[in-house]
Amino acid sequence: MTVNRRKKPASVNPMKIGQSLGAVLALQGCYRAMPLIHGSQGCSAFPKALLTRHFREPIAVQTSALQEMDVIFDANRNLEEALNLVLSKHRPDIIGIIGTELTDVAGVDYQNMLKTYKRERNMRGGLAFSVVLPDFRGSLESGFSSTVEAMIDEMIQQVGHRGSRSVNTRQITLLPGSFLTPADVMELKEIISSFGFEVIALPDISTSLSGHLLTGFSPLTRGGVPLDSMLQSLQSGLTIAIGGSMERPARRLHNALGTPYKVFEGAMGLKASDELLHFLHQISGEPVPLRYCWQRENLLDSMLDAHFQFAGMSALTALEPDHLYSVSGWLEELGVEQKALITSYETPLVAGMEREVWVGDLDDAEVLGKGADLWISNSHGIAGAQRIGAAFMPAGFPVWNELGAYMSVSVGYRGAMEWSNKAGNLLMQREAGHRESSVRHR
Amino acid sequence: MKHSILSEGDEEPMDPVRKDEFDSEACGSIAPKAKPCPRPKPGEAAGGCSFDGAQITLLPIMDAAHLVHGPIACAGNSWESRGTLSSGPCLSQYGFATDLTDSDIIFGGEKKLKESIDYIAERFAPPAIFVYSTCVTALIGEDMDAVCKTAAERIGIPVIPVNSPGFVGSKNLGNRLAGDALLQYVIGTGEPEPLTPLGVNLIGEYNIAGEMWDIEKLMNSAGITVTSRITGDARYKEITWAHRAKVNMVVCSRALLGLAKEMESRYGIPYFEGSFYGAKETTYSLRQMAFLMNDREMERRVDRLTEREEARLSQDLRPYRKLLKGKRAVLYTGGVKSWSVISALKELGVQVVGVGTNKSTEDDVRRIADRVGDDTEYIPEGGASRIIKTVRERKADIMIAGGRNMYVAMKEQIPFIDINQERHKAYAGYEGLLRLAKELTYSLANPIWKLAASPAPWDKEAHPYDR
């Protein structure tokens, strides 16, 4: 099917999140990392505030704090200053320099500057890379995957070409997409390792943004995958990517090192979980662990219980491309009518979907989804859902109207069951609300 | 005349601000002579940009449309992030953006801006549209002023350009530039209805968590009317007649002092700077209003009201003051709040042992000095680690700062109160002080601090000899 766009000049109630925020998110999943945004102060303050609000955790990020005159004369002086300060003060293991629309439009060549900087300072032992992510292209999802790609590139540069590679066939590199919560990443790691594999997630937000009481506050990231594990991941026998956007970084590993890869486009619902577990069963030769067999039964039973609730119901979904694909697959299994599917920008995955997909904003969601019973989007959708009278289910990024959203599981049988119950409960409460309001008080 | 004593000492409330004191360092439309805003330090910068600041000031104009001219993230990452509340219209809570793409940037986005303005005017029929420039549109030299001017003529409603792209400077500068836009395009363009009683403009009160409503209620019970709210829970129309007010009060935002000053020279409206944090400051502000209104009867009413309110508050506060007495706090917030909140805390018996002076002016610092003891540490800069160091060294019981530092405090297991624009609790006025006392008590007394500090039982067993 085709991807459509409603004709209107302005974006009204945007759901799109800048690419650079995706990059900051990706770097939170690396241990002792510092994302450095090459732009004006707001370019880092907004993502920081938004990520803090969603994850309820401190977020590591710094900025080159460009001002007008810096952009006109020498923006790289600021970057150099920022690098000097960050390196001497915090000694991060990983630095990701994120170019913004400001440096892009001004035509600042900082990649070259970074190369010279690294050579002159004799920087070794750490990982420093840059990635260009102007906000007038792509969205959170592309910013996230491009950053992982740039990270992998740099790793390959550093060690990949050094002689022959000893492949560890019992080790799998997991590339989790930007739509997965810390709890999702943890669940995926558990599922894969339950078949006897070592898993290195790249990046790994499950140990950095899941909420922990590790040794107090640090301006750098706490938790996440450490640099030596990252480098060790180059020896993995297989790459598993979750989400269509993660195929490019997986392909990068394949092209440079010959690591085979498998992309799971969706990770939600019975079918997607079946596919993942069946695949793991086949490549490992191990039986599917009993707990997943149980979870499968539990899921089917809860879907059976809930199917009365979902019958005749319709939903509108407004999420980032990969997430939209996943959630749409799950809704399909519940038999819910899908009134409208809205996403932030076009990717091959959503373009190839069998349903009609719209690229747009939350105002489009309100218009196209009129009459829907369930509204699934980030927290910006609350007002719109209220206006069209739909039950609101927060998902994606950012979610601020619910505690523990970052710990909710959507992948695997358990995730599908949690989501089904949650959506069903919301619809039930909505129905109860309708009944109550029809009672006349005298 | 003495009132019930609420605080430990009985120092005067903030010293009356005489207008001539500011002549040497006026800000706003007049360039500051004393010192320009400091350059943020790359690699150590914190806080928002000028675009953010301009939006903080203007978004509380609730019935207007606010259109961001630039790539999506400037609007997409920031809308619905501020805690300003509305009592009615909510168009300002809509996120509007021209959402420029690469080709718009190459060929120019003015056409898209024009179309966006027309679209919003037609579909939402707002009383006015504010258009914000961003770094990129400023960099490629979009002539926003011209587009806005012709659009205003075409569609017949004010279209106001706000030239405050992020890279011109700090959040504070953005507040000022927004004030400039109001002076240039809004204030003085309308007239109040003939029978409207005129009174005080509240400048720099953004109705965070509904604080404005508490303040307005107080003013009304003393018979003082609000002419224009600039801009907490404001309607566009009321700002157009702000020049008819009798008094300007600059509430807790030095950034808009230039606006008050300019209104004094243009329209002859006297102004004063005051705060509503703490009972004393509140009483002082109300009295100052009545005094500048030059109305004896009103002054008497204010006296009666404040006396009654203070007495009642003093009664209500008793149980909390007992618990809070001697507690130590580190306060890290911007500008004026750094001193005005100190007064509020002192009235509760809380000692401020460390205070941020990051965004404070010299005057603010002087006022801080007047309010704290000699052993209070000043935190000029350095971000989260520096604040925590002060908390530890000064053995503070609680940290009071903005949302950005909230989870920093949580990681260190330090009780925390959010005092900035994202918060959900109103702390202004007499009611507000009581609320602050309650929040401080809830926060300090929560069982989580003990639970989180004690290890799991098996960890207790594992290292019996380690300590």
Side-chain angles (χ1 to χ4, degrees), chain A residues 371-411:
Chain A
D373 300 290
L374 185 67
W375 172 307
I376 305 172
S377 81
N378 65 24
S379 287
H380 283 304
I382 297 172
Q386 244 163 25
R387 282 190 288 263
I388 68 165
F392 177 73
M393 178 151 165
F397 180 90
V399 173
W400 58 67
N401 64 318
E402 204 179 82
L403 284 169
Y406 55 91
M407 286 307 279
S408 78
V409 186
S410 67
V411 299

Side-chain angles (χ1 to χ4, degrees), chain A residues 9 11-14 41 45 53 56-57 62-63 67-68 78 85 89 101 135-137 212 217 363 380 387, chain B residues 39-40 42-47 73 77 79-80 94-95 97 100 102 105 112 119 123 136 167 384 407 411-412:
Chain A
S11 172
V12 181
N13 295 344
Q41 267 197 74
R53 213 168 157 204
R56 298 174 200 262
E57 291 287 325
Q62 254 310 332
T63 165
Q67 298 211 333
E68 209 168 0
N78 280 47
L85 197 82
K89 223 174 146 181
E101 64 274 12
D135 287 328
F136 47 71
R137 233 176 279 141
H212 52 68
F217 167 76
D363 175 58
H380 283 304
R387 282 190 288 263
Chain B
R39 172 179 178 260
E44 206 174 50
N77 287 353
W79 71 294
E80 288 197 315
Y94 270 66
L100 299 184
D102 334 27
I105 283 159
K112 201 168 185 190
Y119 176 78
R123 192 172 145 202
V136 168
F167 61 21
Y407 298 102
K411 289 289 124 175
E412 290 278 336

Side-chain angles (χ1 to χ4, degrees), chain B residues 17 151 162 223 276 310 408 410 429:
Chain B
V17 179
V162 184
F276 287 103
E310 284 196 14
V408 171
M410 294 305 103

